[in-house]
Amino acid sequence: MSVCFTERTVAFMENADQIGDLQETPEPLGLNCESFCRYVNAINNMPRNIGKDGKFQLLVCLGARDRLLPQWLPLLAECPIITRMYEENALLRDKLTVSSLIAVLETLHDFPITLESSLTKSVEL
């Protein structure tokens, strides 16, 4: 998964929300879209440039800390953008693999994840 993919996914979700397509989605899915977009936008709007890899790593760290990764993965896997950006055998296009990854991430739910402020780069969420 890349920053380009996450940014395109956010653009797709925000556009779908503006034209009303996301208003008909079930509440948890809509909230997950909202949180994903908020995190990606907050990272992209940081005053200092940390590069594409740094942005992606920060998104993963914050998502893990705030226990959002298991909720975001289905959004990313179901986004129509994925078929244009990833081959058929990519991890996010394999439903069984995505389900397994979600199950692994959910086992971390009971463990506190503390991130150093140098790692979070003072992102405001």
Side-chain angles (χ1 to χ4, degrees):
M1 190 164 46
S2 68
V3 170
C4 186
F5 172 66
T6 58
E7 289 173 348
R8 287 184 184 184
T9 301
V10 166
F12 173 82
M13 289 177 187
E14 289 175 341
N15 186 45
D17 190 37
Q18 287 176 0
I19 60 174
D21 287 353
L22 291 181
Q23 291 175 354
E24 297 175 12
T25 58
E27 186 66 23
L29 188 59
L31 291 175
N32 295 337
C33 288
E34 184 181 308
S35 72
F36 180 75
C37 292
R38 189 175 32 142
Y39 276 64
V40 171
N41 288 330
I43 292 168
N44 283 337
N45 292 328
M46 287 183 355
R48 70 180 208 199
N49 188 356
I50 59 172
K52 289 182 178 183
D53 287 341
K55 288 179 180 181
F56 178 71
Q57 291 169 4
L58 185 54
L59 179 65
V60 170
C61 288
L62 292 171
R65 179 195 69 188
D66 298 340
R67 288 148 180 67
L68 294 169
L69 288 179
Q71 298 164 21
W72 290 346
L73 280 173
L75 292 175
L76 298 171
E78 296 298 323
C79 184
I81 304 265
I82 199 166
T83 58
R84 292 188 294 233
M85 294 192 68
Y86 288 98
E87 296 176 5
E88 228 175 280
N89 61 350
L91 182 139
L92 278 176
R93 292 191 63 188
D94 183 334
K95 293 185 185 315
L96 181 60
T97 304
V98 169
S99 294
S100 297
L101 181 55
I102 290 169
V104 169
L105 290 169
E106 286 175 341
T107 64
L108 298 175
H109 187 73
D110 294 332
F111 297 97
I113 297 174
T114 305
L115 301 176
E116 296 291 326
S117 60
S118 62
L119 187 61
T120 60
K121 310 200 187 313
S122 61
V123 173
E124 296 294 325
L125 291 168

